[in-house]
Amino acid sequence: MNWLSWLGDFFSSPDRLSGPDSIVHRVTEHLLLSGEALLCAALLAVPLGLLIGYTGRGAAAVTSLAGAARALPTLGLVTLAVLLAGVGDTAVLVPLIALAAPPLLVAAVEGVRGTDPDVRDAARGVGLTHPQVLWQVCLPSALPTLLAGFRTASVQVIATATVAAYVGLGGLGRYVIDGLATRDYAVTAGGALLVVLLAVGVQLFFALLTRYALPPGLRGRRRAG
């Protein structure tokens, strides 16, 4: 049996159309878990990154620590979280937040640091306070880099959130893990394909967001560059 046959069996199964094991239900679970992890990571990493990028203090350390954090084994963190907090959402959210925070932190730092110093000085010269310069000048300038960081973090989290199935939670990982456990490779192949499609969809979403959500001046500058 080839991959096409497996995928045909998977998508034609009545269980994929309705019920707790349907594709819509599993995709919704996966997106909710991924979105929660991304939101928590953003609340922690983005404000800190903006502050570090504006002051310039600790920027080199942030880059080094972020690189080291990316090497952390997610499944190992899940296992450790289960041992410390028990089976539940926390056991998966903590590793996913640890995975998403570094690219968001680095993007915030580098985005603010990339603001034209002359523009910052001019803003201060017309009487803006440091918080006003950060939010009104640096943040719009950092937006393209921030969106790139969100795109990277989102794809990583969506691809890794399949580990939730290891601790009995839902999401698309249920197809992959349950299919392997029962040697139902059609289910495994279908689940893996859905994860890939979801990650590609998120990539396209952030590409469109980057194109249309930027202020007209920044949008034109990006096209010219």
Side-chain angles (χ1 to χ4, degrees), residues 15 25 32 50 76 139:
D15 291 339
H25 184 72
L32 288 175
L50 294 176
L139 183 58

Side-chain angles (χ1 to χ4, degrees), residues 14-117:
D15 291 339
R16 305 290 88 81
L17 302 178
S18 62
D21 204 36
S22 67
I23 292 175
V24 172
H25 184 72
R26 292 302 185 197
V27 168
T28 301
E29 288 180 331
H30 204 92
L31 287 175
L32 288 175
L33 179 62
S34 300
E36 187 176 359
L38 188 65
L39 176 61
C40 292
L43 292 176
L44 292 172
V46 172
L48 179 61
L50 294 176
L51 180 61
I52 293 174
Y54 186 78
T55 61
R57 298 173 183 174
V62 164
T63 303
S64 300
L65 291 174
R70 289 170 183 165
L72 292 174
T74 305
L75 189 56
L77 289 177
V78 170
T79 303
L80 179 61
V82 169
L83 293 176
L84 295 177
V87 176
D89 290 354
T90 303
V92 178
L93 283 175
V94 169
L96 292 181
I97 292 170
L99 181 68
L104 294 176
L105 182 61
V106 171
V109 171
E110 296 302 323
V112 174
R113 290 181 68 191
T115 305
D116 190 337

Side-chain angles (χ1 to χ4, degrees), residues 173-195:
R174 285 259 59 94
Y175 293 143
V176 178
I177 302 303
D178 293 348
L180 289 174
T182 60
R183 296 188 179 181
D184 189 344
Y185 299 118
V187 174
T188 300
L193 177 62
L194 288 173
V195 173

Side-chain angles (χ1 to χ4, degrees), residues 19 49 80-81 91 108 120 122 124 136 141 144 166 170 173 187 201 223-224:
L80 179 61
R120 290 176 57 167
R124 288 287 295 152
Q136 298 179 25
S141 177
Y166 280 106
V187 174
R223 281 199 296 264

